[in-house]
Amino acid sequence: MADVPFIQLTGITKHFGGVHALKGVDLSVAAGEVVALVGHNGAGKSVLVQILSGVFPPTAGEIRVNGQMTTFGSPVDARHHGIETIYQTLALADNLDAPANFFLGRELKTTLGFLDKKRMAREAAKALIELNPNLVDVERPVRQMSGGQRQAVAIARAIHFDVRLLIMDEPTAALGPHETAQVAELIKRLRAQGIGILLISHDVRDVMQLADRIVVLKGGQIVGSVVPSESSEDEVVDMIIRGRRLPAGRAE
């Protein structure tokens, strides 16, 4: 992995009036690295994701992309820097097929200005099948797809537009074991392609299997970071519940 992380947050603070949602958060994700961010509801995970997604700026702190200081004035700015977010709701239009969802808001046009449906179908099918070879019937409404297939559509849409960091908010929530395994396989493929992934999850067992690092957020602060192979589920859960910091010398 590169010495300089793709994204590096330093001292990120966010205030909403008298509420201090984030208190000096330091976080980095390198290319081809899966970092899991875990913590109870209200820990500050969603606020951090919204800052990274360009929804609103931090009150204080620095954001660096490839070592360069930057600011995100909007979600468009974040996407311009190669940052895409897949929220738990997936933001898919259930009545549209996969190609229409794939290019939603970024539709391809013919030289005469009409929708180029054939090209969109061809490009979407190629990207989707490369990501998930089992997803062959891409021209049916996404409401008829399984949860794992819907995730594949959302992920393929994100990586098609030159994503460098993919933020995944609870990607396996409400999925069965088979579909959860499908999403896990997709994450492994993205990592192999050099895409950094920030994985937001409540499921410690899942992230122990998927993440290169697990970062625990509690009360708007980072309370510790562990490497799964050097830690245990019990230790991570203890950090989430009690906010117990790691002993000196443990991996950050």
Side-chain angles (χ1 to χ4, degrees), residues 13-23 42 44 47 59 219-220:
T13 298
K14 184 62 181 178
H15 299 166
F16 296 98
V19 177
H20 292 196
L22 295 174
K23 307 168 186 176
V47 175
T59 303

Side-chain angles (χ1 to χ4, degrees), residues 16-100:
F16 296 98
V19 177
H20 292 196
L22 295 174
K23 307 168 186 176
V25 170
D26 296 342
L27 181 70
S28 66
V29 183
E33 182 183 29
V34 179
V35 176
L37 184 65
V38 300
H40 284 312
N41 288 336
K45 303 189 302 299
S46 294
V47 175
L48 192 61
V49 167
Q50 288 173 309
I51 288 173
L52 270 172
S53 302
V55 175
F56 44 63
T59 303
E62 297 179 353
I63 300 175
R64 293 181 181 270
V65 177
N66 281 329
Q68 300 297 312
M69 186 93 71
T70 190
T71 58
F72 302 145
S74 70
V76 173
D77 284 348
R79 287 196 293 269
H80 178 74
H81 284 84
I83 299 171
E84 292 275 355
T85 303
I86 299 176
Y87 292 101
Q88 187 174 341
T89 57
L90 299 182
L92 297 176
D94 284 348
N95 61 312
L96 300 179
D97 61 17

Side-chain angles (χ1 to χ4, degrees), residues 47-250:
V47 175
L48 192 61
V49 167
Q50 288 173 309
I51 288 173
L52 270 172
S53 302
V55 175
F56 44 63
T59 303
E62 297 179 353
I63 300 175
R64 293 181 181 270
V65 177
N66 281 329
Q68 300 297 312
M69 186 93 71
T70 190
T71 58
F72 302 145
S74 70
V76 173
D77 284 348
R79 287 196 293 269
H80 178 74
H81 284 84
I83 299 171
E84 292 275 355
T85 303
I86 299 176
Y87 292 101
Q88 187 174 341
T89 57
L90 299 182
L92 297 176
D94 284 348
N95 61 312
L96 300 179
D97 61 17
N101 271 283
F102 196 87
F103 288 100
L104 193 63
R106 295 164 169 169
E107 290 81 1
L108 301 179
K109 301 290 183 67
T110 67
T111 54
L112 297 177
F114 299 106
L115 285 179
D116 196 339
K117 293 184 179 180
K118 289 184 178 180
R119 184 181 165 200
M120 288 192 293
R122 185 171 61 250
E123 291 192 16
K126 182 176 183 293
L128 286 163
I129 292 170
E130 283 179 356
L131 190 63
N132 184 351
N134 297 318
L135 188 58
V136 293
D137 185 11
V138 300
E139 295 191 46
R140 57 186 168 122
V142 296
R143 66 169 174 268
Q144 297 177 9
M145 295 182 178
S146 69
Q149 291 171 330
R150 288 165 59 87
Q151 279 282 1
V153 173
I155 292 170
R157 178 176 63 186
I159 66 176
H160 183 73
F161 296 100
D162 298 322
V163 67
R164 300 290 306 282
L165 173 69
L166 184 61
I167 304 169
M168 304 180 73
D169 182 15
E170 299 287 355
T172 60
L175 297 184
H178 177 67
E179 293 177 332
T180 296
Q182 287 182 326
V183 173
E185 183 60 32
L186 293 178
I187 290 172
K188 292 174 183 176
R189 291 185 187 182
L190 299 178
R191 174 203 277 149
Q193 294 174 24
I195 296 171
I197 298 173
L198 182 60
L199 185 61
I200 315 300
S201 181
H202 284 90
D203 194 324
V204 174
R205 181 171 300 176
D206 273 358
V207 300
M208 289 291 291
Q209 300 298 319
L210 290 171
D212 298 303
R213 285 187 293 127
I214 300 173
V215 177
V216 180
L217 192 63
K218 183 177 177 66
Q221 296 177 298
I222 302 293
V223 298
S225 172
V226 301
V227 175
S229 62
E230 300 173 359
S231 186
S232 67
E233 287 183 37
D234 287 344
E235 182 178 23
V236 175
V237 170
D238 196 51
M239 292 166 65
I240 292 171
I241 294 173
R242 303 185 187 186
R244 181 176 294 169
R245 296 180 180 274
L246 295 178
R250 292 301 296 272

